[in-house]
Amino acid sequence: METDNPYAHLSDEELVKRIVATNNPLLFGKLYDRYAKMVYNKCYGFARSEDEAEDLTQDVFLQLFIKLKMFKGKSKFSTWLYSFTYNFCVNYVNRNKQRKMSDKSVPVEDSEYKFTEEVPDESLYEMKASKLKEALEMISAEDKSILLLKYQDGATIKDLVNLLELGESAVKMRLKRAKERLLEIYNTL
């Protein structure tokens, strides 16, 4: 019932300014209503279950309420929140020692090592879903997140540059390396 909502006409940025000025939890609830699904979907990409994704979503919004004043309006609020959620999830995965995977790679003699050619995007699209999910669990959180941002969420290189606060060449190199590591693990399964 948007007509019953006196804040429906407010942009995200105006709503954030009012929340920061008043610390009003009811106003924050309006922001939550607008973005809970987007945050949950991002958290679900890092979680091992729906319950864990729900817990992560609640944790993101708790931190958001505390850190909302850090939003300076240099980008759209939705972009800033996406980045905030992404960083929160990466930190969560890195902090959770039980989620760390042991290195299962096989040492290769230097003479045997050959530089791999660029992994084409098509090879990622052709992977079997269950095997791909298993492989995604075995790569680092950073690799997993950049691949999910690019291929699940449809982020462009420019989007990744802004979200990760890296240069374009660094983003392209991270994507390339993440694809190589994913393909390497996928092929061993």
Side-chain angles (χ1 to χ4, degrees):
M1 299 287 172
E2 288 296 320
T3 55
D4 296 339
N5 182 353
Y7 306 105
H9 69 283
L10 294 177
S11 70
D12 293 338
E13 290 73 17
E14 292 169 323
L15 189 55
V16 168
K17 283 181 189 172
R18 288 191 185 191
I19 294 167
V20 169
T22 64
N23 250 1
N24 183 333
L26 294 175
L27 285 177
F28 188 76
K30 301 300 178 192
L31 199 62
Y32 177 90
D33 291 343
R34 289 182 187 180
Y35 287 102
K37 187 174 182 180
M38 187 263 310
V39 170
Y40 173 83
N41 286 337
K42 178 56 29 212
C43 291
Y44 188 74
F46 287 88
R48 291 190 170 188
S49 69
E50 290 178 8
D51 288 342
E52 187 178 20
E54 288 172 11
D55 290 345
L56 270 172
T57 300
Q58 294 305 313
D59 292 346
V60 165
F61 278 102
L62 285 171
Q63 282 299 309
L64 182 65
F65 188 73
I66 295 166
K67 300 191 178 198
L68 198 55
K69 62 184 168 286
M70 294 172 60
F71 175 67
K72 302 298 182 210
K74 293 179 181 175
S75 62
K76 285 175 40 180
F77 176 74
S78 58
T79 304
W80 183 83
L81 177 58
Y82 193 92
S83 180
F84 183 90
T85 303
Y86 162 83
N87 288 327
F88 185 90
C89 290
V90 167
N91 289 337
Y92 167 79
V93 170
N94 286 337
R95 272 193 319 268
N96 189 343
K97 301 253 185 273
Q98 295 172 334
R99 306 237 354 202
K100 297 273 186 195
M101 294 291 175
S102 60
D103 184 2
K104 296 180 181 174
S105 60
V106 178
V108 178
E109 295 297 321
D110 289 337
S111 58
E112 292 180 40
Y113 185 77
K114 293 184 267 183
F115 285 102
T116 58
E117 293 187 28
E118 176 67 23
V119 177
D121 291 348
E122 292 74 31
S123 63
L124 294 180
Y125 298 136
E126 294 168 1
M127 293 179 169
K128 292 206 182 309
S130 60
K131 200 168 155 184
L132 177 60
K133 185 172 176 137
E134 187 179 343
L136 279 168
E137 289 299 322
M138 297 174 78
I139 61 175
S140 73
E142 289 82 4
D143 287 348
K144 179 180 179 179
S145 60
I146 198 167
L147 290 171
L148 290 177
L149 284 167
K150 175 84 171 112
Y151 298 103
Q152 177 181 305
D153 301 329
T156 64
I157 297 295
K158 185 178 178 190
D159 294 335
L160 293 171
V161 165
N162 293 330
L163 284 172
L164 303 175
E165 298 176 352
L166 295 170
E168 185 176 326
S169 60
V171 166
K172 288 179 177 177
M173 184 54 70
R174 282 193 183 184
L175 262 175
K176 178 184 182 296
R177 289 180 180 157
K179 287 193 294 186
E180 288 171 353
R181 284 190 277 265
L182 180 65
L183 193 60
E184 181 180 315
I185 288 172
Y186 180 88
N187 287 331
T188 65
L189 297 177

